[in-house]
């Protein structure tokens, strides 16, 4: 395989400096072949297809649109007797024998391998299918590290293949998707790269000196050197930025025609609101409020991003903006990306509003028909002063009496289209909230001309949370520590493992875990359980008991990610922490450290060597810092920019290849190119998809 792919590459890139000599596609592309399910590839059955689906790869084409997380540098080839320390190395060996066994969920494959200088025991995790290929006498190249148990294999080449020691892409793998497999599939997909349609006009390609899309994909997945991979990436990033820019231009054109009714000076209601808060606002909160007030005086609808780390006090500011609408007899709406988030916000806001005589309604798609109707009527009549909801709020049949201010929470989880849908046909002032601190360049790129307010300092002088990473087999020590806090009169959270299947299964697992823990680690303590399948009233009562210290511990799913606020809770255990994303872990951790006491977060996971590279990076990042901004940057490095934006769906238009921190000039070129394009041409479809897809995002 090496040879043909290499020839293809040389041909493909021969024209990098002389665009007019690029070979024309052999025939009309047939993009439908790329749309075929990954099961069309050799060696992909339903199980593997499902695993790929979990990382967003459903079609053959999706494989091409995943960016390698990095490239493996060549490492020296060594003889077994020369292996020294834990340095990475490649050994070329012959298999003597192989066997496999299980340890819990883990499948361990070991092989005795040797060269003329000695023998060593090589170990693979979770790749049981390999065993049958390792018959005695098989020649194999292994890349990995020697340790006291033998040689831990990271990648390998069987027979003729020579990926491993060379410059090779490393894909975001998961524990059940081996790097080797991902590379093999990529090679198969690349055979269809000529079916990729070129959306950029030839004149633009020539002017910018950019390679064809298909060549760029080849360069990214099968580069001979880093520079080639980078040139390919930049080409694909340029296209993504161009599409994004065009989408922003479309929405901006719509918005420019909108006018909003200016709101007068804040009055008595806002004074009562301030007086009702048990604290004074921080300087940053005051400044944000002043910026919002200034926006609201204008007839151009406000478009402001309020950015602040977990616990920085965004809710108070957001509610201020909503109350500005209410004081004039108009309405405010808060849109959250998931049902549970919407409900948490509803509970928080309702509690703050009730004493002010402000009526708050909840609207989500899980309401029964009757409740839904009631809510709709309250919204239409204006009896609901503030409405909190999910994307259900932007559905056609929802008719606001007089919407003046809209707050969109967790901004980055919504796409461009969905954000504009709440605004369409009305023109409220809009405040966007984000807890994931977004680097300014990223914010400007993705949200266009949003103004940014920032809550940089947390309210009280809170102590940074101490975070530890605990291996599973020592989790009893974590619980011991937790019990000490309980014995001191503090409270705690235990976060259940993330199960992807369904909210119902997650809920059941959480209840089972609470039950188990009541009879085991936390025997004798009062343990409550919180998950997304509880009705709002039940959840409210569990939260109320926890707040009133009638419960010592909350066993919870990620519903506690946001909005849960109990300063007496000082310690959290996160089970199977390797399964959570970095942003999510940071949010979860934000549930402790809300009072003056020193707080702790204990991340429990399987042993380090059993985890994927990404999981190790995430956990290390959590231990090393509590700074949300730094974590966001690390998250960018680990996951790629696209995913920070919450664009988890697969598709062409996500920012997969962009690296915003280094792509400043590319960004400017894309912006200029967007302005100069006479029409969207073939890109129109991608712009549609970006806007349309984002309009359906968040339906979880
Ligand atoms: P965010 O939404 O930014 O994560 P919250 O709005 O939930 O943060 O606020 C976190 C906690 O800090 C809440 O308990 C809130 O009541 C409290 N809080 C907010 N502003 C202040 C302040 N100025 N002083 C003291 N506590 C505050
Ligand atoms: Mg909040």
């Amino acid at each position: 395989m090496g040879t043909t792919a290499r020839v293809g590459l040389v041909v493909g890139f021969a024209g990098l400096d002389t665009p007019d000599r690029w070979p024309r596609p052999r025939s009309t592309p047939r993009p439908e072949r790329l749309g075929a399910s990954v099961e069309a590839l050799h060696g992909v059955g339903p199980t593997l297809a499902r695993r790929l689906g979990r990382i967003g790869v459903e079609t053959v084409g999706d494989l091409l649109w995943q960016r390698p997380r990095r490239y493996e540098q060549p490492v020296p080839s060594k003889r077994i007797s020369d292996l020294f320390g834990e340095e990475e190395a490649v050994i070329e060996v012959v298999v003597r024998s192989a066997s496999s066994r299980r340890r819990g969920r883990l499948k361990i494959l070991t092989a005795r391998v040797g060269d003329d200088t000695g023998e060593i025991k090589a170990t693979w995790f979770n790749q049981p299918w390999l065993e049958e290929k390792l018959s005695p006498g098989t020649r194999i190249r292994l890349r990995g590290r020697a340790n006291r148990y033998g040689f831990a294999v990271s990648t390998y080449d069987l027979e003729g293949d020579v990926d491993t020691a060379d410059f090779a892409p490393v894909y975001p793998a998961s524990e059940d998707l081996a790097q080797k497999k991902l590379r093999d599939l990529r090679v198969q997909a690349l055979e269809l790269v000529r079916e990729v349609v070129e959306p950029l006009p030839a004149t633009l390609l020539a002017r910018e000196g950019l390679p064809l899309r298909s060549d760029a994909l080849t360069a990214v997945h099968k580069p001979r050197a880093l520079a080639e991979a980078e040139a390919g990436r930049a080409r694909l990033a340029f296209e993504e930025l161009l599409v994004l820019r065009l989408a922003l231009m479309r929405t901006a054109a719509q918005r420019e025609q909108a006018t909003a009714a200016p709101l007068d000076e804040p009055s008595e209601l806002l004074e009562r609101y301030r007086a009702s808060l048990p604290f004074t606002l921080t300087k940053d909160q005051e400044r944000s409020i002043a910026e919002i007030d200034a926006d609201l005086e204008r007839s151009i609808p406000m478009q402001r991003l309020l950015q602040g780390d977990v616990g920085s006090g965004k809710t108070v500011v957001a509610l201020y903006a909503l109350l500005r609408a209410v004081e004039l007899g108009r309405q405010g709406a808060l849109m959250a990306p998931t049902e549970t988030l919407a409900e948490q916000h509803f509970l928080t806001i309702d509690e703050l509003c009730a004493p002010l005589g402000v009526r708050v309604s909840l609207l989500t798609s899980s309401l029964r028909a009757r409740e839904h109707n009631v809510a709709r009527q309250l919204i239409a009549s204006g009896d609901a002063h503030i409405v909190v909801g999910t994307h259900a709020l932007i559905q056609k049949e929802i008719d606001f009496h007089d919407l003046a201010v809209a707050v969109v929470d967790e901004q980055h989880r919504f796409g461009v289209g969905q954000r504009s849908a709440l605004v369409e046909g009305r023109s409220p002032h809009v405040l966007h909230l984000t807890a994931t601190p977004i680097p300014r360049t990223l914010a400007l790129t993705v949200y266009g001309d949003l103004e940014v307010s920032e809550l940089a300092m947390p309210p009280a002088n809170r102590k940074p949370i101490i975070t530890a990473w605990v291996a599973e087999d020592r989790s009893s020590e974590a619980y011991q520590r937790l019990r000490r806090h309980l014995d001191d009169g503090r409270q705690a959270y235990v976060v259940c493992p993330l199960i992807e299947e369904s909210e119902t299964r997650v809920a059941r697992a959480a209840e089972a875990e609470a039950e188990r823990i009541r009879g085991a680690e936390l025997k004798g303590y009062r343990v409550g359980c919180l998950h997304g399948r509880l009705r709002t009233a039940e959840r409210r009562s569990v939260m109320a008991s926890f707040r009133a210290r009638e419960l010592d511990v909350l066993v919870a799913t990620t519903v506690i990610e946001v909005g849960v606020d109990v300063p007496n809770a000082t310690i959290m255990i996160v089970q199977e922490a390797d399964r959570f994303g970095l942003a999510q872990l940071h949010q979860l951790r934000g549930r402790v450290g809300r009072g003056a006491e020193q707080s702790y977060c204990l991340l429990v996971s399987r042993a380090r060597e059993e985890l994927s590279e990404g999981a190790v990076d995430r956990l290390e990042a959590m231990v090393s810092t509590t700074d949300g901004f730094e974590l966001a940057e690390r998250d960018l490095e680990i996951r790629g920019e696209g995913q920070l934006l919450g664009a988890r769906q697969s598709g062409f238009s996500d920012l997969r290849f962009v690296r915003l921190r280094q792509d400043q000039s590319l960004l400017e070129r894309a912006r200029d190119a967007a302005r100069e394009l006479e029409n969207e041409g073939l890109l129109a479809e991608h712009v549609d998809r970006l806007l349309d897809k984002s309009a359906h995002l968040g339906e979880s």
Side-chain angles (χ1 to χ4, degrees):
M1 116 225 129
T3 354
T4 44
R6 240 154 246 266
V7 170
L9 176 77
V10 172
V11 173
F13 251 73
L16 190 56
D17 305 318
T18 48
D20 49 346
R21 287 183 45 229
W22 277 330
R24 298 201 59 77
R26 280 194 304 271
S27 58
T28 316
R30 287 182 294 163
E32 62 283 359
R33 295 182 66 190
L34 291 166
S37 156
V38 279
E39 288 196 54
L41 299 175
H42 293 298
V44 184
T47 308
L48 186 54
R50 207 170 337 106
R51 289 175 183 168
L52 287 165
R54 255 181 253 140
I55 59 165
V57 174
E58 278 163 13
T59 67
V60 176
D62 289 342
L63 283 164
L64 297 177
W65 256 268
Q66 280 222 324
R67 186 178 95 193
R69 43 180 276 155
R70 61 185 176 80
Y71 294 88
E72 196 104 84
Q73 294 303 323
V75 294
S77 261
K78 291 210 167 149
R79 293 180 308 175
I80 290 177
S81 63
D82 295 337
L83 287 174
F84 177 74
E86 296 210 353
E87 235 168 78
E88 218 183 352
V90 166
I91 52 178
E92 303 195 28
V93 292
V94 175
V95 176
R96 303 271 150 84
S97 64
S99 64
S100 62
R101 69 200 149 89
R102 295 187 77 98
R103 195 171 85 212
R105 265 174 315 216
L106 190 66
K107 292 170 208 130
I108 304 174
L109 172 61
T110 46
R112 290 216 70 82
V113 299
D115 59 15
D116 17 325
T117 69
E119 267 195 12
I120 196 165
K121 194 174 78 181
T123 313
W124 286 261
F125 293 109
N126 287 332
Q127 299 184 49
W129 65 86
L130 189 59
E131 188 178 349
E132 62 185 47
K133 295 192 176 171
L134 298 182
S135 47
T138 307
R139 295 204 67 81
I140 188 167
R141 278 168 103 216
L142 306 177
R143 177 176 178 139
R145 293 170 200 277
N147 58 29
R148 60 198 160 106
Y149 306 112
F151 192 82
V153 180
S154 59
T155 54
Y156 61 93
D157 294 324
L158 265 172
E159 301 301 341
D161 302 355
V162 285
D163 272 344
T164 289
D166 303 330
F167 187 76
V170 179
Y171 295 99
S174 60
E175 62 198 58
D176 53 12
L177 275 175
Q179 196 55 240
K180 175 77 178 163
K181 196 84 202 169
L182 291 171
R183 283 185 189 154
D184 289 348
L185 296 177
R186 217 69 51 159
V187 170
Q188 289 189 51
L190 272 181
E191 284 166 16
L192 296 178
V193 78
R194 293 287 148 199
E195 313 294 355
V196 168
V197 174
E198 178 56 68
L200 298 185
T203 47
L204 179 61
L205 286 176
R207 193 172 62 229
E208 296 287 335
L210 294 170
L212 290 172
R213 197 188 212 195
S214 51
D215 291 338
L217 286 167
T218 306
V220 161
H221 294 295
K222 202 83 182 123
R224 285 164 305 184
L226 200 55
E228 196 170 88
E230 172 55 23
R233 183 200 69 77
R235 152 67 175 84
L236 298 169
F238 177 84
E239 180 184 317
E240 289 176 343
L241 291 169
L242 184 62
V243 168
L244 184 61
R245 214 54 229 180
L246 291 170
L248 289 171
M249 279 164 65
R250 269 202 217 169
T251 51
Q254 286 164 11
R255 204 165 70 209
E256 262 159 35
Q257 290 157 13
T259 54
L263 305 185
D264 294 332
E265 303 259 291
S267 64
E268 171 268 344
L269 175 64
L270 276 311
E271 269 162 42
R272 280 196 290 133
Y273 172 53
R274 281 168 178 277
S276 75
L277 294 174
F279 43 73
T280 51
L281 296 176
T282 64
K283 249 205 235 132
D284 288 344
Q285 284 170 325
E286 288 292 2
R287 187 172 22 81
S288 302
I289 282 176
E291 286 164 349
I292 289 168
D293 279 336
D295 287 351
L296 295 179
E297 279 174 19
R298 308 192 313 157
S299 59
I300 304 163
M302 169 169 77
Q303 282 293 331
R304 180 170 291 279
L305 182 69
L306 177 63
Q307 157 172 320
D309 206 347
V310 186
S312 61
K314 293 183 295 296
T315 313
V316 181
V317 177
L319 184 52
Y320 177 94
L322 294 169
L323 290 172
R324 291 291 323 270
V326 176
E327 69 178 343
L328 297 172
R330 307 184 62 194
Q331 288 170 301
L334 185 149
M335 183 163 79
T338 66
E339 305 255 321
T340 37
L341 285 180
E343 287 175 15
Q344 291 296 345
H345 271 304
F346 170 72
L347 295 180
T348 312
I349 287 181
D350 192 39
E351 200 174 293
L352 288 163
C353 284
L356 304 173
V358 171
R359 285 186 300 272
V360 186
S361 288
L362 175 68
L363 186 86
T364 66
S365 46
S366 72
L367 291 185
R368 291 140 187 247
R370 209 177 50 85
E371 299 166 320
H372 197 269
N373 275 334
V374 170
R376 262 174 52 195
Q377 273 162 25
L378 292 173
I379 294 169
S381 64
D383 284 337
H385 299 138
I386 293 177
V387 188
V388 178
T390 52
H391 58 283
L393 278 180
I394 61 179
Q395 266 135 34
K396 293 247 165 3
E397 75 271 14
I398 304 300
D399 186 17
F400 280 88
H401 176 65
D402 186 10
L403 181 64
V405 174
V407 173
V408 184
D409 188 26
E410 287 301 321
Q411 166 70 10
H412 62 285
R413 295 202 200 177
F414 293 105
V416 185
Q418 196 161 32
R419 277 182 267 137
S420 54
L422 182 60
V423 177
E424 219 162 85
R426 338 175 162 111
S427 37
H429 296 281
V430 184
L431 180 68
H432 307 270
L433 308 183
T434 179
T436 308
I438 299 175
R440 201 181 161 76
T441 50
L442 186 57
L444 293 178
T445 308
V446 181
Y447 309 129
D449 48 359
L450 284 192
E451 306 282 343
V452 181
S453 293
E454 196 177 354
L455 302 180
M457 292 291 292
N461 38 358
R462 297 177 180 150
K463 295 195 185 78
I465 301 158
I466 295 176
T467 303
W469 176 8
V470 183
E472 209 167 47
D473 54 359
R474 306 183 62 176
S475 72
S476 63
E477 291 168 33
Y479 281 97
Q480 214 172 338
R481 184 117 162 230
L482 184 135
R483 286 193 299 268
R484 276 209 301 276
H485 280 249
L486 302 183
D487 295 341
D488 286 345
R490 307 269 162 253
Q491 289 163 286
Y493 300 103
V494 174
V495 180
C496 294
L498 192 66
I499 308 173
E500 308 231 311
E501 279 92 311
S502 76
E503 185 106 36
T504 308
R505 288 200 45 180
V506 174
R508 246 187 259 131
E511 274 168 9
E513 179 58 14
E515 205 39 58
R516 189 194 67 74
I517 260 180
R518 280 185 196 116
E521 288 95 338
L522 299 178
K523 203 167 176 164
Y525 295 93
R526 299 162 302 175
V527 178
C529 183
L530 194 71
H531 57 72
R533 274 287 166 263
L534 294 178
R535 320 191 111 267
T536 311
E538 292 172 296
R539 187 173 320 163
R540 205 189 291 225
S541 105
V542 172
M543 277 316 301
S545 322
F546 190 61
R547 229 174 256 140
R549 304 195 188 185
E550 292 157 16
L551 291 171
D552 301 306
V553 181
L554 265 192
V555 171
T557 62
T558 53
V559 295
I560 63 158
E561 197 181 324
V562 205
V564 173
D565 187 29
V566 177
N568 190 47
T570 51
I571 184 164
M572 161 180 285
I573 289 180
V574 183
Q575 300 177 336
E576 298 188 23
D578 52 291
R579 293 179 182 272
F580 295 90
L582 194 47
Q584 203 165 27
L585 286 172
H586 180 57
Q587 293 281 344
L588 286 169
R589 179 168 60 183
R591 296 312 111 200
V592 294
R594 298 190 149 235
E597 297 295 323
Q598 177 64 58
S599 290
Y600 298 84
C601 174
L602 308 176
L603 305 170
V604 178
S605 85
R606 284 164 296 155
R608 186 190 186 97
E609 46 292 353
E610 299 175 25
L611 300 180
S612 70
E613 200 177 331
V616 171
D617 289 353
R618 291 195 296 274
L619 294 172
E620 282 183 343
M622 283 294 291
V623 171
S624 70
T625 182
T626 52
D627 181 292
F629 193 87
E630 207 177 310
L631 286 171
E633 295 260 304
R634 294 281 275 278
D635 207 24
L636 286 182
E637 279 155 27
I638 299 172
R639 303 166 72 193
E641 320 266 347
Q643 280 147 355
L644 178 76
L645 307 176
R648 283 179 204 118
Q649 265 83 351
S650 59
F652 289 90
S653 310
D654 301 337
L655 298 183
R656 289 163 177 252
F657 295 95
V658 175
R659 314 183 78 147
L660 284 161
R661 275 160 307 147
Q662 72 183 60
D663 283 349
Q664 269 314 301
S665 70
L666 209 54
L667 195 66
E668 282 156 29
R669 277 162 66 190
R671 193 186 51 208
D672 295 343
R675 224 182 279 128
E676 282 163 29
L677 276 184
E678 267 162 38
N679 56 53
E680 292 176 351
L682 288 178
L683 289 166
E685 190 190 322
H686 300 287
V687 178
D688 288 346
R689 199 165 347 182
L690 179 66
L691 291 170
D692 181 57
K693 185 181 63 194
S694 43
H696 299 288
L697 247 169
E699 283 169 44
S700 51

